[in-house]
Amino acid sequence: MIPGWLYSRWAGSLSLIVVIGLSTTLYSSLAQSETCVLPSQHAGVTFPVEQIEANWSCRLQPIINHYTTANKLGPLRTPLSEAVYLYFLDHPPMTAAVVNRLNLGVYRAELRGPGRYWGSDGEGTEGMVELVYQDRTSRVYYLEGSHDSRFFPRIAGKAVVLLRMNPVTDSNGIEAMDSTLVSYTRLDNRLLAGIVSLLRPLAGSAVTRKLAKGVDTVNRLSQVMRQQPDQVVSEVTKSPALSFDEVAFLKHALENLSHSSGAIPSRTTSP
């Protein structure tokens, strides 16, 4: 049997250890949250970064604060309803499949987990994309990827992409989405990052072209959906067909689009 005085000392020591451990954990959490605060304003656009989980904030902060290149694209107008636009946005493998079958691009995308995708643009750029935050009007993505070209060695890096969306209706009653993208890219190779920093305007233009090409591809897809709905249905039902839900959604979207005529070209407003 443990003597009462010895038990009391043991219990007191254990309580002290627990208190110290909890205090250390709490202090570390508070310190991390204080040191990983993200700015809400990015290229003049406000994003709800306070809603991002603390562990993600600490992964995004070094990229945003010490970027190699930073770019803003938009606002760009895409002639799709909010529901269709968001469906394409949140289903990259399906979107890439439709684009490829209609010969609008050579994109590839594969689901690698909840909100996590591997993607390739068919031109040497590929990597993993993770959805960090989403709400009706915003998306925040974290990317790790690389680019191979004839002129430079393999370039690897990380990026943060912030997307702001706004549903609109034009004077003809046609639904569309205005989108603005802000991206921060940080190369892994410090020497190469320094060289790119010296050529930042050129590098920034290259990143902007990549982003603009993706938006333009979606615009061309929307035009084909409006003007050639039968061709779209034919392509998405060919073997291997898309899933039943994806085909059903596309048919419904095409039916709604057919009620409006014409196609709206992409419009860029200078920041």
Side-chain angles (χ1 to χ4, degrees):
M1 181 176 180
I2 302 175
W5 66 271
L6 182 58
Y7 178 80
S8 297
R9 291 185 64 181
W10 176 79
S13 299
L14 181 61
S15 299
L16 181 60
I17 291 172
V18 171
V19 169
I20 292 174
L22 289 175
S23 299
T24 303
T25 301
L26 179 61
Y27 176 79
S28 299
S29 298
L30 289 173
Q32 185 182 58
S33 63
E34 290 176 358
T35 58
C36 297
V37 176
L38 300 175
S40 59
Q41 286 278 330
H42 297 270
V45 183
T46 302
F47 291 91
V49 295
E50 70 281 356
Q51 301 296 327
I52 296 176
E53 296 180 2
N55 63 319
W56 268 116
S57 294
C58 289
R59 294 179 67 181
L60 305 186
Q61 188 190 55
I63 303 171
I64 294 174
N65 289 354
H66 305 287
Y67 62 81
T68 306
T69 64
N71 302 274
K72 178 184 178 182
L73 182 65
L76 300 174
R77 180 158 295 180
T78 301
L80 290 172
S81 68
E82 180 180 16
V84 177
Y85 181 95
L86 293 178
Y87 195 89
F88 278 132
L89 180 67
D90 296 333
H91 296 79
M94 183 210 72
T95 305
V98 174
V99 166
N100 293 343
R101 294 187 185 196
L102 293 172
N103 295 317
L104 299 175
V106 287
Y107 292 96
R108 294 173 58 197
E110 299 173 3
L111 181 64
R112 296 290 176 87
R116 193 165 186 264
Y117 302 89
W118 172 86
S120 168
D121 68 353
E123 296 181 347
T125 301
E126 64 176 54
M128 298 298 302
V129 180
E130 294 190 61
L131 177 63
V132 174
Y133 173 80
Q134 69 172 353
D135 60 30
R136 181 184 173 186
T137 61
S138 302
R139 296 287 191 279
V140 179
Y141 299 97
Y142 170 77
L143 297 82
E144 290 188 7
S146 63
H147 178 76
D148 288 308
S149 71
R150 294 176 298 173
F151 306 106
F152 290 99
R154 185 180 182 87
I155 301 173
K158 302 173 180 63
V160 178
V161 176
L162 303 100
L163 170 64
R164 168 54 54 83
M165 304 164 288
N166 181 42
V168 296
T169 303
D170 69 8
S171 58
N172 296 319
I174 296 178
E175 294 180 285
M177 292 290 286
D178 282 353
S179 303
T180 301
L181 296 98
V182 180
S183 67
Y184 299 90
T185 303
R186 184 180 182 184
L187 301 187
D188 294 340
N189 186 308
R190 291 185 179 182
L191 176 61
L192 189 57
I195 295 174
V196 172
S197 294
L198 295 175
L199 303 174
R200 186 165 288 168
L202 180 61
S205 297
V207 174
T208 300
R209 285 196 300 272
K210 284 284 185 182
L211 295 173
K213 181 181 177 182
V215 175
D216 179 66
T217 299
V218 175
N219 280 329
R220 289 190 292 130
L221 172 60
S222 69
Q223 293 172 11
V224 174
M225 291 175 66
R226 289 178 183 277
Q227 299 169 0
Q228 304 175 50
D230 292 339
Q231 180 188 355
V232 176
V233 172
S234 173
E235 292 296 334
V236 301
T237 53
K238 287 181 179 179
S239 181
L242 301 181
S243 72
F244 176 83
D245 290 341
E246 291 170 342
V247 172
F249 181 87
L250 286 170
K251 287 182 176 180
H252 180 70
L254 290 167
E255 182 179 351
N256 290 336
L257 285 174
S258 67
H259 295 157
S260 60
S261 60
I264 309 171
S266 172
R267 176 179 60 83
T268 305
T269 302
S270 300

